[in-house]
Amino acid sequence: MEYTIRGRCGQEGCRERRYYLDEGIWFCRQGHQQEGRQYEAEYDQYGTQGKTNRIKKVVAEKGHRTYRGRRAYTLFLQVYQFILWKQCYALVQARGFPEQFENIVRDLWALRLETYSNKIKEIPEEDDQPQLFSSQPNTDVESEPEDFKPKSNWPRLIDTVGLCYLAALLMRIPVSICGMHR
């Protein structure tokens, strides 16, 4: 039975504050009928109290963005830098490398980043609006653009391990290439 909290009953010294509804009449938990507190359902609401209809929400489709030009390479370098930071953080926290290790890797990355900033300036700035691709099938088939293919002069994921190893060599931390790769 579902109770509703209201004011005190007050009949025969009853201090009950919880009430239930039975056939449109309110009763306190002790069974005292409350005068003047009747519940009448309107004709429009008749028969709908026990049934709940749930409407399913329309699922909004998530689009995939494809960037081109300077924006694409800038985002690529930011993601690369994030991966490098996560690797340094793991080496410092889990493997016991000194805290200065992150600073040295950051400095090495800053030196490397200068060469990439010059390359980004050379890239022509294409449309700034990202293209949104839907997961729904299209009738016309699109091929991958030519500038999407990976280029060898941009950093690869294995280069992050090389930067960490170079920083370990500069700090004279005894670690092998195989240990660093693991």
Side-chain angles (χ1 to χ4, degrees):
M1 192 171 291
E2 189 173 324
Y3 293 102
T4 303
I5 296 177
R6 295 179 173 230
R8 285 191 179 151
C9 174
Q11 293 181 8
E12 301 173 8
C14 180
R15 296 180 154 204
E16 190 62 51
R17 297 183 68 177
R18 289 174 274 185
Y19 297 90
Y20 64 92
L21 187 64
D22 186 24
E23 295 180 8
I25 302 173
W26 288 100
F27 291 94
C28 77
R29 213 168 142 195
Q30 302 299 327
H32 301 121
Q33 180 180 350
Q34 300 300 304
E35 305 250 348
R37 294 185 184 176
Q38 293 185 356
Y39 178 81
E40 295 180 14
E42 293 182 16
Y43 185 72
D44 295 341
Q45 296 176 351
Y46 185 75
T48 61
Q49 292 180 3
K51 184 177 179 183
T52 304
N53 292 330
R54 304 239 186 250
I55 299 173
K56 292 184 178 180
K57 293 182 180 177
V58 177
V59 178
E61 183 179 331
K62 294 182 181 178
H64 301 282
R65 295 181 181 177
T66 302
Y67 292 99
R68 288 181 173 42
R70 288 184 188 172
R71 180 77 173 149
Y73 287 112
T74 304
L75 286 174
F76 171 75
L77 290 175
Q78 288 175 355
V79 169
Y80 187 85
Q81 182 173 336
F82 180 72
I83 292 170
L84 183 63
W85 175 79
K86 291 293 273 184
Q87 287 178 343
C88 290
Y89 182 80
L91 288 172
V92 170
Q93 298 298 323
R95 300 293 178 192
F97 279 50
E99 302 241 349
Q100 296 84 12
F101 181 77
E102 285 187 52
N103 295 333
I104 292 179
V105 172
R106 186 181 307 131
D107 293 341
L108 289 172
W109 172 243
L111 289 173
R112 187 96 187 260
L113 197 57
E114 287 177 12
T115 60
Y116 296 129
S117 66
N118 293 335
K119 289 181 185 179
I120 288 177
K121 289 176 185 175
E122 294 172 2
I123 296 173
E125 193 167 332
E126 293 186 16
D127 57 310
D128 288 337
Q129 298 295 327
Q131 290 184 349
L132 296 176
F133 290 101
S134 172
S135 62
Q136 301 294 328
N138 285 340
T139 56
D140 48 330
V141 179
E142 296 180 8
S143 62
E144 285 189 356
E146 290 297 319
D147 62 342
F148 185 72
K149 295 179 181 172
K151 297 179 179 173
S152 61
N153 55 358
W154 290 95
R156 296 174 297 159
L157 199 55
I158 194 71
D159 296 340
T160 60
V161 178
L163 280 173
C164 291
Y165 181 71
L166 187 59
L169 280 178
L170 289 173
M171 291 187 72
R172 298 183 184 200
I173 298 173
V175 65
S176 65
I177 295 175
C178 183
M180 183 65 76
H181 189 69
R182 266 188 265 127

